[in-house]
Amino acid sequence: MANVLLEFKASAADSEPQNRPVLIVGQLANLQQINWTQVKGKLQPVVTKEIWQAALASLNPNPTDSCPLYLSFAAVAALPSRVSRHNSPSSAHFLTRLVRTCLPTGNNRCIVMVCERSDVFASACAIARAFPLFTRRSASSRRTEKKHVTVEFVTVGQDNGPLEVSTLECLASAADGVRLAARIVDTPCSEMNTDDFLEEIKAVGNELSITPTIIRGEELKQKGFGGIYGVGKAAQHPPALAVLSHTPSGATQTIAWVGKGIVYDTGGLSIKGKTTMPGMKRDCGGAAAILGAFKAAVKQGFKDNLHAVFCLAENSVGPTATRPDDIHTLYSGKTVEINNTDAEGRLVLSDGVVYANKDLSADIILDMATLTGAQGISTGKYHAAVMTNSEQWEAACVRAGRSSGDLAHPLVYCPELHFSEFTSAVADMKNSVADRENAQSSCAGLFIGSHLGFDWPGIWVHVDIASPVHAVSIDGA
């Protein structure tokens, strides 16, 4: 699907299914609300009103169901009729799967998405996930034609008119950001090392007329970024801290997004095993997500100061690799005794969040990372784990996850009980917990927050997306 052009329209032109295969998808109750006149132009003459009504009557989503309408050229699919309070009302994860499995083949296809207006954004992002951009399949490389998928929204319920041009532009920007992030995560380190990632950052900067700030290699060591430098110093391609800054006039606050960009994680000298190392090209998922989100936000006219901070390194093995027992001084000035070189993400992010505070004067700092395997145990493979020093922001993150389809669930925030896991006899702290059974994901987040200080007056949000990134890349969830 790497050669697919995805386009959102208020109304897709009428066409017979043989000429433009079509998938009509939505919750069954929503499908039953639309009039035959709203879909007949995509189905006639081969699908009649009677066939359409019979197909709807046959659907029994448990949790999903689909029915062919005409050979392999037209189908209707039903999302779950109900979801729990910790899921998105849009059923975004199921929507991605239905698009992947039920959309008919062809070079020019149409998706008719039937939903309430409040679910339009999440549905657009879910559809975008079904069309990844990266592939190295030989058959794909031989294809020269560009496939085209048009997405038309039919809204039901209150405010059920056609989508405005501004809304369609927002959906296109969001989908572009989703697919950009997925492409970076899917690309192996042989093609997405730290230098390649910097080129991706520069390309986004060029598109937005922003020149990135880049601190790289030995300069990191000279300027005190002991976390990023220590993690990446053994790699062929040097580590880097890169920043894209959007500073519009009239801004009233400053926000920084900090992304973990470990382009490959061997575990370092605390090396991963043969079953856990494959897939570690995805360890740059936090930085990739922030690059895609930053591009989308700025294109849509974000009104406050917004900085995207990328902490890039390859956690490699070599003569200069960090050893367990080494002590690094991070950008905060705090010293860290290394007892696990595979707990590297918290080191680079600690440098990043302190830079956001000291150098960018951010009022709100959000760090995002594929940080811990324990995240999947804490909140599962569909819900990102969220930790924050603000109860209000914790609730806001959960609401945002339900609205966007990128689900989130809180971690325990209790530094007075958990931060002692990092006690060191020879440094300010160790980098890995003493008891791996004690709130491991929460502790990893607390390590990052400790470099800002638990009394820092701003808003700090930590988002661990380890399992969701892996799940989306593997099965389209």
Side-chain angles (χ1 to χ4, degrees), residues 6-12 117 120-121 124 150-155 161-176 299-300:
L6 191 61
E7 186 176 11
F8 297 93
K9 287 188 175 182
S11 177
R117 187 172 285 263
V120 164
F121 182 83
T150 302
V151 182
E152 175 184 352
F153 283 89
V154 176
T155 56
L163 301 185
E164 301 83 2
V165 172
S166 59
T167 299
L168 294 170
E169 290 174 349
C170 176
L171 299 183
S173 295
D176 180 46
K299 287 180 71 174
Q300 289 306 116

Side-chain angles (χ1 to χ4, degrees), residues 405-420:
D406 281 316
L407 299 169
H409 199 75
L411 287 173
V412 172
Y413 178 79
C414 192
E416 64 271 24
L417 290 180
H418 291 147
F419 189 68
S420 59

Side-chain angles (χ1 to χ4, degrees), residues 381-467:
K381 72 176 186 178
Y382 301 114
H383 292 71
V386 174
M387 168 182 284
T388 171
N389 61 359
S390 165
E391 185 176 355
Q392 179 182 359
W393 275 72
E394 178 183 281
C397 288
V398 173
R399 289 196 303 271
R402 296 183 75 239
S403 297
S404 68
D406 281 316
L407 299 169
H409 199 75
L411 287 173
V412 172
Y413 178 79
C414 192
E416 64 271 24
L417 290 180
H418 291 147
F419 189 68
S420 59
E421 290 287 353
F422 295 105
T423 299
S424 167
V426 294
D428 293 326
M429 65 192 76
K430 292 182 179 180
N431 76 314
S432 189
V433 293
D435 183 357
R436 295 180 65 83
E437 295 183 358
N438 183 23
Q440 189 180 156
S441 283
S442 289
C443 289
L446 291 175
F447 180 96
I448 299 166
S450 73
H451 291 269
L452 285 171
F454 296 125
D455 57 351
W456 185 62
I459 301 298
W460 167 66
V461 181
H462 164 66
V463 185
D464 191 342
I465 58 173
S467 290

